[in-house]
């Protein structure tokens, strides 16, 4: 529908991975066959990706994008991080130039034993 736009609104962290030092998270648009206009920044705790901050929601998605994580470990002198699995959560907003874009919704999922899920 040309009256609506699909944007990136959050992430489900299925696996935090380990040994991450300075990861780069890319949002790959499968239809455009390139890195999309969305921009995100991972938040690390003890080498694990525990949250992802959305800097730019992106626009014009037609399918769920692929999330690619790169970390060569040079900054920390390691071989880089491994195993993180992030799934994008998409949202639909009406296209109306008179209104500002909707702020991203952050959802934190913590699979640890004594932690709570915050919404």
């Amino acid at each position: 529908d040309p009256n609506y736009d699909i944007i990136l609104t959050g992430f489900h962290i299925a696996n935090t991975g380990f040994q991450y030092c300075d990861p780069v998270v890319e949002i790959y648009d499968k239809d455009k066959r390139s890195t999309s206009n969305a921009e995100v920044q991972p938040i690390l705790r003890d080498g694990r990706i525990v949250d992802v901050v959305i800097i730019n929601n992106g626009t014009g998605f037609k399918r769920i994008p692929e999330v690619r994580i790169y970390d060569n470990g040079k900054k920390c002198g390691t071989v880089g991080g491994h195993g993180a699995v992030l799934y994008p959560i998409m949202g639909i907003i009406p296209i109306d130039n008179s209104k500002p874009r909707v702020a991203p919704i952050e959802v934190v999922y913590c699979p640890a034993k004594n932690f709570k899920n915050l919404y």
Side-chain angles (χ1 to χ4, degrees), residues 47-72:
R48 297 179 176 272
I49 298 176
V50 296
D51 195 9
V52 180
V53 175
I54 299 174
I55 298 168
N56 182 353
N57 297 84
T59 184
F61 292 102
K62 294 184 180 173
R63 293 189 283 170
I64 295 175
E66 181 180 331
V67 178
R68 297 178 177 176
I69 305 167
Y70 301 102
D71 184 13
N72 59 15

Side-chain angles (χ1 to χ4, degrees), residues 23-98:
V24 174
V25 178
E26 291 182 352
I27 308 302
Y28 182 78
D29 190 334
K30 297 173 188 174
D31 293 311
K32 296 177 185 172
R33 295 179 187 245
S34 67
T35 304
S36 75
N37 54 6
E39 185 179 355
V40 299
Q41 177 66 44
I43 304 296
L44 300 177
R45 172 122 350 161
D46 297 327
R48 297 179 176 272
I49 298 176
V50 296
D51 195 9
V52 180
V53 175
I54 299 174
I55 298 168
N56 182 353
N57 297 84
T59 184
F61 292 102
K62 294 184 180 173
R63 293 189 283 170
I64 295 175
E66 181 180 331
V67 178
R68 297 178 177 176
I69 305 167
Y70 301 102
D71 184 13
N72 59 15
K74 286 183 181 179
K75 186 176 179 182
C76 297
T78 64
V79 295
H82 306 282
V85 179
L86 307 176
Y87 294 108
I89 299 171
M90 308 307 287
I92 299 172
I93 59 169
I95 295 176
D96 184 1
N97 294 332
S98 64

Side-chain angles (χ1 to χ4, degrees), residues 91-110:
I92 299 172
I93 59 169
I95 295 176
D96 184 1
N97 294 332
S98 64
K99 295 181 182 177
R101 286 211 174 263
V102 175
I105 299 170
E106 289 192 31
V107 179
V108 178
Y109 174 73
C110 188

